[in-house]
Structures are given as structure tokens and as C-alpha cells.
Amino acid sequence: MSLLDDLNTTGGGWHMPGATKWKRLRAKKVMDRYSGELTGEDWDHPDVLEFNGSLASSSSMRTPDALREETTSTAYLTSPELSLDVMPGDRIKAMPDDGRCWEVSGYPSRDANAFTSWQPTVEIPLSEYRG
């Protein structure tokens, strides 16, 4: 029996027992009072979507200058939920809140195996800016 056979007998999904809870925040669009178009963003009342995933920190860099210090961190969040609705510009927070707020910095990757078309996870690139 191969690994793929074993996965297919358990429902075909990829199980991540070490995954933790996360929430995706997406700003609601706000109508601009001058143009009448939906151009603004309301982060005070965002749309929230809860999901499971596992964070892998990539790098962190501190940039001091005369006026302030800024720290930029990057990470990847891997989730077994392939239909997860995440887009660049969304914000991601841990549940329970650990004080960090990540921004989705690129399009999520839903890579597939070229030989079997199997897609085990979605990988979300994240960045955090402080300072």
C-alpha cells in the first residue's frame, strides 16, 4: 500500500494533527462619500473566517534609523483547507490572539503533484511590520 492509497482510505484529505486555530480578517468595503465608489476599507468591522493551519516563520529583520526602528518578519501558513478564501491584503491572527497580526503578502499557493494531481495543502505567504 502506498501513501496515496492510505490517504484515500481515510477520506482523501491531508490531516495535520499539529495545526492550530487562525482567523482571516478581510476589511469591508466602504463607500467614498465624494465619488460614491467602494474605495475605502473598514478594518473596525472586518469579515472573519476561522480555519486551521500551521505557521512556519521564515525570517525577521530589524532596520533601525534616526527616527524609528522597524522589524519586518516573514512566514508561511500551511492549511489543509484547499478552498480557503484568502487573498493578498487580508490579515491573519492566531486564536487565541498572541498579539501578532500578519498580512497576506502574496497569492496563496495550491500546488498539485504533477503525476497524481494530488493537492495536500494551501500555503499562504505572510509578512508582519512593526515599528
Side-chain angles (χ1 to χ4, degrees), residues 55-62 71-76 100 102 105 126-129:
L55 184 75
S57 292
S58 183
S59 67
S60 189
M61 183 172 61
R62 185 173 157 243
T71 303
T72 303
S73 302
T74 59
Y76 286 92
R100 298 187 80 175
W102 297 92
S105 58
L126 303 174
S127 295
E128 181 188 43
Y129 309 98

PDB file of all heavy atoms in Angstrom, residues 55-62 71-76 100 102 105 126-129:
ATOM      1  N   LEU A  55       1.936  27.554  11.275  1.00  0.00           N
ATOM      2  CA  LEU A  55       2.812  28.660  10.901  1.00  0.00           C
ATOM      3  C   LEU A  55       4.269  28.217  10.926  1.00  0.00           C
ATOM      4  O   LEU A  55       4.712  27.562  11.862  1.00  0.00           O
ATOM      5  CB  LEU A  55       2.623  29.826  11.876  1.00  0.00           C
ATOM      6  CG  LEU A  55       3.405  31.091  11.565  1.00  0.00           C
ATOM      7  CD1 LEU A  55       2.757  31.830  10.399  1.00  0.00           C
ATOM      8  CD2 LEU A  55       3.460  32.001  12.780  1.00  0.00           C
ATOM      9  N   ALA A  56       5.005  28.585   9.890  1.00  0.00           N
ATOM     10  CA  ALA A  56       6.445  28.355   9.830  1.00  0.00           C
ATOM     11  C   ALA A  56       7.113  29.699   9.572  1.00  0.00           C
ATOM     12  O   ALA A  56       6.989  30.257   8.485  1.00  0.00           O
ATOM     13  CB  ALA A  56       6.784  27.360   8.725  1.00  0.00           C
ATOM     14  N   SER A  57       7.802  30.228  10.586  1.00  0.00           N
ATOM     15  CA  SER A  57       8.482  31.510  10.424  1.00  0.00           C
ATOM     16  C   SER A  57       9.646  31.357   9.467  1.00  0.00           C
ATOM     17  O   SER A  57      10.353  30.360   9.480  1.00  0.00           O
ATOM     18  CB  SER A  57       8.986  32.019  11.774  1.00  0.00           C
ATOM     19  OG  SER A  57       7.908  32.352  12.602  1.00  0.00           O
ATOM     20  N   SER A  58       9.841  32.370   8.648  1.00  0.00           N
ATOM     21  CA  SER A  58      10.878  32.317   7.633  1.00  0.00           C
ATOM     22  C   SER A  58      12.069  33.184   8.017  1.00  0.00           C
ATOM     23  O   SER A  58      13.180  32.701   8.135  1.00  0.00           O
ATOM     24  CB  SER A  58      10.293  32.752   6.290  1.00  0.00           C
ATOM     25  OG  SER A  58      11.250  32.650   5.278  1.00  0.00           O
ATOM     26  N   SER A  59      11.835  34.479   8.203  1.00  0.00           N
ATOM     27  CA  SER A  59      12.939  35.373   8.561  1.00  0.00           C
ATOM     28  C   SER A  59      12.395  36.604   9.258  1.00  0.00           C
ATOM     29  O   SER A  59      11.205  36.894   9.222  1.00  0.00           O
ATOM     30  CB  SER A  59      13.729  35.783   7.319  1.00  0.00           C
ATOM     31  OG  SER A  59      12.931  36.600   6.483  1.00  0.00           O
ATOM     32  N   SER A  60      13.311  37.338   9.880  1.00  0.00           N
ATOM     33  CA  SER A  60      12.960  38.573  10.546  1.00  0.00           C
ATOM     34  C   SER A  60      14.162  39.507  10.433  1.00  0.00           C
ATOM     35  O   SER A  60      15.309  39.073  10.564  1.00  0.00           O
ATOM     36  CB  SER A  60      12.617  38.307  12.012  1.00  0.00           C
ATOM     37  OG  SER A  60      12.094  39.445  12.620  1.00  0.00           O
ATOM     38  N   MET A  61      13.881  40.802  10.173  1.00  0.00           N
ATOM     39  CA  MET A  61      14.968  41.747  10.009  1.00  0.00           C
ATOM     40  C   MET A  61      14.613  43.063  10.693  1.00  0.00           C
ATOM     41  O   MET A  61      13.526  43.606  10.496  1.00  0.00           O
ATOM     42  CB  MET A  61      15.237  42.000   8.521  1.00  0.00           C
ATOM     43  CG  MET A  61      16.418  42.923   8.287  1.00  0.00           C
ATOM     44  SD  MET A  61      16.905  43.056   6.560  1.00  0.00           S
ATOM     45  CE  MET A  61      15.446  43.716   5.815  1.00  0.00           C
ATOM     46  N   ARG A  62      15.546  43.566  11.486  1.00  0.00           N
ATOM     47  CA  ARG A  62      15.362  44.834  12.192  1.00  0.00           C
ATOM     48  C   ARG A  62      16.124  45.915  11.447  1.00  0.00           C
ATOM     49  O   ARG A  62      17.289  45.745  11.120  1.00  0.00           O
ATOM     50  CB  ARG A  62      15.878  44.704  13.617  1.00  0.00           C
ATOM     51  CG  ARG A  62      15.632  45.897  14.449  1.00  0.00           C
ATOM     52  CD  ARG A  62      16.015  45.605  15.906  1.00  0.00           C
ATOM     53  NE  ARG A  62      16.287  46.865  16.547  1.00  0.00           N
ATOM     54  CZ  ARG A  62      17.444  47.225  17.054  1.00  0.00           C
ATOM     55  NH1 ARG A  62      18.453  46.400  17.021  1.00  0.00           N
ATOM     56  NH2 ARG A  62      17.594  48.402  17.609  1.00  0.00           N
ATOM     57  N   THR A  71      10.789  46.415  12.348  1.00  0.00           N
ATOM     58  CA  THR A  71      11.097  44.994  12.217  1.00  0.00           C
ATOM     59  C   THR A  71      10.128  44.385  11.217  1.00  0.00           C
ATOM     60  O   THR A  71       8.912  44.545  11.346  1.00  0.00           O
ATOM     61  CB  THR A  71      10.977  44.264  13.572  1.00  0.00           C
ATOM     62  OG1 THR A  71      11.841  44.900  14.507  1.00  0.00           O
ATOM     63  CG2 THR A  71      11.339  42.802  13.439  1.00  0.00           C
ATOM     64  N   THR A  72      10.673  43.721  10.224  1.00  0.00           N
ATOM     65  CA  THR A  72       9.878  43.040   9.209  1.00  0.00           C
ATOM     66  C   THR A  72      10.084  41.541   9.369  1.00  0.00           C
ATOM     67  O   THR A  72      11.217  41.073   9.385  1.00  0.00           O
ATOM     68  CB  THR A  72      10.312  43.474   7.795  1.00  0.00           C
ATOM     69  OG1 THR A  72      10.201  44.890   7.698  1.00  0.00           O
ATOM     70  CG2 THR A  72       9.447  42.821   6.744  1.00  0.00           C
ATOM     71  N   SER A  73       8.998  40.807   9.500  1.00  0.00           N
ATOM     72  CA  SER A  73       9.062  39.349   9.632  1.00  0.00           C
ATOM     73  C   SER A  73       8.282  38.705   8.493  1.00  0.00           C
ATOM     74  O   SER A  73       7.271  39.257   8.048  1.00  0.00           O
ATOM     75  CB  SER A  73       8.461  38.898  10.964  1.00  0.00           C
ATOM     76  OG  SER A  73       9.134  39.500  12.044  1.00  0.00           O
ATOM     77  N   THR A  74       8.745  37.557   8.028  1.00  0.00           N
ATOM     78  CA  THR A  74       8.025  36.798   7.014  1.00  0.00           C
ATOM     79  C   THR A  74       7.799  35.382   7.512  1.00  0.00           C
ATOM     80  O   THR A  74       8.560  34.862   8.321  1.00  0.00           O
ATOM     81  CB  THR A  74       8.792  36.759   5.672  1.00  0.00           C
ATOM     82  OG1 THR A  74      10.072  36.160   5.887  1.00  0.00           O
ATOM     83  CG2 THR A  74       8.958  38.147   5.096  1.00  0.00           C
ATOM     84  N   ALA A  75       6.731  34.777   7.026  1.00  0.00           N
ATOM     85  CA  ALA A  75       6.372  33.416   7.430  1.00  0.00           C
ATOM     86  C   ALA A  75       5.475  32.802   6.364  1.00  0.00           C
ATOM     87  O   ALA A  75       5.014  33.496   5.445  1.00  0.00           O
ATOM     88  CB  ALA A  75       5.657  33.435   8.782  1.00  0.00           C
ATOM     89  N   TYR A  76       5.236  31.513   6.505  1.00  0.00           N
ATOM     90  CA  TYR A  76       4.281  30.799   5.656  1.00  0.00           C
ATOM     91  C   TYR A  76       3.302  30.072   6.556  1.00  0.00           C
ATOM     92  O   TYR A  76       3.683  29.477   7.550  1.00  0.00           O
ATOM     93  CB  TYR A  76       4.993  29.795   4.737  1.00  0.00           C
ATOM     94  CG  TYR A  76       5.715  30.464   3.608  1.00  0.00           C
ATOM     95  CD1 TYR A  76       7.048  30.825   3.740  1.00  0.00           C
ATOM     96  CD2 TYR A  76       5.058  30.768   2.428  1.00  0.00           C
ATOM     97  CE1 TYR A  76       7.719  31.463   2.710  1.00  0.00           C
ATOM     98  CE2 TYR A  76       5.721  31.405   1.391  1.00  0.00           C
ATOM     99  CZ  TYR A  76       7.044  31.748   1.545  1.00  0.00           C
ATOM    100  OH  TYR A  76       7.691  32.383   0.519  1.00  0.00           O
ATOM    101  N   ARG A 100       0.185  39.220  17.591  1.00  0.00           N
ATOM    102  CA  ARG A 100       0.770  39.436  16.269  1.00  0.00           C
ATOM    103  C   ARG A 100      -0.334  39.520  15.223  1.00  0.00           C
ATOM    104  O   ARG A 100      -1.363  38.862  15.346  1.00  0.00           O
ATOM    105  CB  ARG A 100       1.734  38.307  15.915  1.00  0.00           C
ATOM    106  CG  ARG A 100       2.900  38.244  16.892  1.00  0.00           C
ATOM    107  CD  ARG A 100       3.934  37.272  16.479  1.00  0.00           C
ATOM    108  NE  ARG A 100       4.786  37.887  15.451  1.00  0.00           N
ATOM    109  CZ  ARG A 100       5.861  37.287  14.960  1.00  0.00           C
ATOM    110  NH1 ARG A 100       6.199  36.085  15.363  1.00  0.00           N
ATOM    111  NH2 ARG A 100       6.589  37.898  14.052  1.00  0.00           N
ATOM    112  N   TRP A 102      -0.517  39.319  11.074  1.00  0.00           N
ATOM    113  CA  TRP A 102       0.175  39.054   9.823  1.00  0.00           C
ATOM    114  C   TRP A 102      -0.652  39.582   8.658  1.00  0.00           C
ATOM    115  O   TRP A 102      -1.877  39.544   8.696  1.00  0.00           O
ATOM    116  CB  TRP A 102       0.385  37.555   9.647  1.00  0.00           C
ATOM    117  CG  TRP A 102       1.252  36.943  10.687  1.00  0.00           C
ATOM    118  CD1 TRP A 102       0.846  36.378  11.867  1.00  0.00           C
ATOM    119  CD2 TRP A 102       2.661  36.820  10.656  1.00  0.00           C
ATOM    120  NE1 TRP A 102       1.926  35.922  12.562  1.00  0.00           N
ATOM    121  CE2 TRP A 102       3.061  36.172  11.842  1.00  0.00           C
ATOM    122  CE3 TRP A 102       3.646  37.196   9.736  1.00  0.00           C
ATOM    123  CZ2 TRP A 102       4.397  35.888  12.127  1.00  0.00           C
ATOM    124  CZ3 TRP A 102       4.963  36.911  10.016  1.00  0.00           C
ATOM    125  CH2 TRP A 102       5.331  36.266  11.199  1.00  0.00           C
ATOM    126  N   SER A 105       0.876  38.530   2.064  1.00  0.00           N
ATOM    127  CA  SER A 105       1.751  39.326   1.208  1.00  0.00           C
ATOM    128  C   SER A 105       1.799  38.858  -0.242  1.00  0.00           C
ATOM    129  O   SER A 105       2.469  39.484  -1.066  1.00  0.00           O
ATOM    130  CB  SER A 105       3.169  39.341   1.784  1.00  0.00           C
ATOM    131  OG  SER A 105       3.659  38.022   1.902  1.00  0.00           O
ATOM    132  N   LEU A 126       3.088  35.258   4.326  1.00  0.00           N
ATOM    133  CA  LEU A 126       2.715  36.297   5.271  1.00  0.00           C
ATOM    134  C   LEU A 126       3.881  37.233   5.563  1.00  0.00           C
ATOM    135  O   LEU A 126       5.033  36.836   5.493  1.00  0.00           O
ATOM    136  CB  LEU A 126       2.272  35.668   6.600  1.00  0.00           C
ATOM    137  CG  LEU A 126       1.133  34.673   6.578  1.00  0.00           C
ATOM    138  CD1 LEU A 126       0.940  34.065   7.954  1.00  0.00           C
ATOM    139  CD2 LEU A 126      -0.138  35.323   6.103  1.00  0.00           C
ATOM    140  N   SER A 127       3.552  38.472   5.910  1.00  0.00           N
ATOM    141  CA  SER A 127       4.538  39.456   6.369  1.00  0.00           C
ATOM    142  C   SER A 127       3.948  40.204   7.560  1.00  0.00           C
ATOM    143  O   SER A 127       2.735  40.367   7.664  1.00  0.00           O
ATOM    144  CB  SER A 127       4.873  40.458   5.279  1.00  0.00           C
ATOM    145  OG  SER A 127       5.501  39.832   4.198  1.00  0.00           O
ATOM    146  N   GLU A 128       4.836  40.644   8.439  1.00  0.00           N
ATOM    147  CA  GLU A 128       4.425  41.456   9.577  1.00  0.00           C
ATOM    148  C   GLU A 128       5.396  42.620   9.689  1.00  0.00           C
ATOM    149  O   GLU A 128       6.601  42.441   9.571  1.00  0.00           O
ATOM    150  CB  GLU A 128       4.437  40.652  10.872  1.00  0.00           C
ATOM    151  CG  GLU A 128       3.989  41.446  12.066  1.00  0.00           C
ATOM    152  CD  GLU A 128       4.174  40.713  13.378  1.00  0.00           C
ATOM    153  OE1 GLU A 128       5.227  40.088  13.575  1.00  0.00           O
ATOM    154  OE2 GLU A 128       3.267  40.801  14.218  1.00  0.00           O
ATOM    155  N   TYR A 129       4.853  43.803   9.902  1.00  0.00           N
ATOM    156  CA  TYR A 129       5.663  45.008  10.007  1.00  0.00           C
ATOM    157  C   TYR A 129       5.397  45.646  11.350  1.00  0.00           C
ATOM    158  O   TYR A 129       4.248  45.896  11.709  1.00  0.00           O
ATOM    159  CB  TYR A 129       5.311  46.000   8.892  1.00  0.00           C
ATOM    160  CG  TYR A 129       5.335  45.376   7.530  1.00  0.00           C
ATOM    161  CD1 TYR A 129       4.153  44.938   6.921  1.00  0.00           C
ATOM    162  CD2 TYR A 129       6.523  45.190   6.844  1.00  0.00           C
ATOM    163  CE1 TYR A 129       4.164  44.352   5.673  1.00  0.00           C
ATOM    164  CE2 TYR A 129       6.549  44.596   5.583  1.00  0.00           C
ATOM    165  CZ  TYR A 129       5.365  44.185   5.016  1.00  0.00           C
ATOM    166  OH  TYR A 129       5.378  43.600   3.778  1.00  0.00           O
TER     167      TYR A 129
END
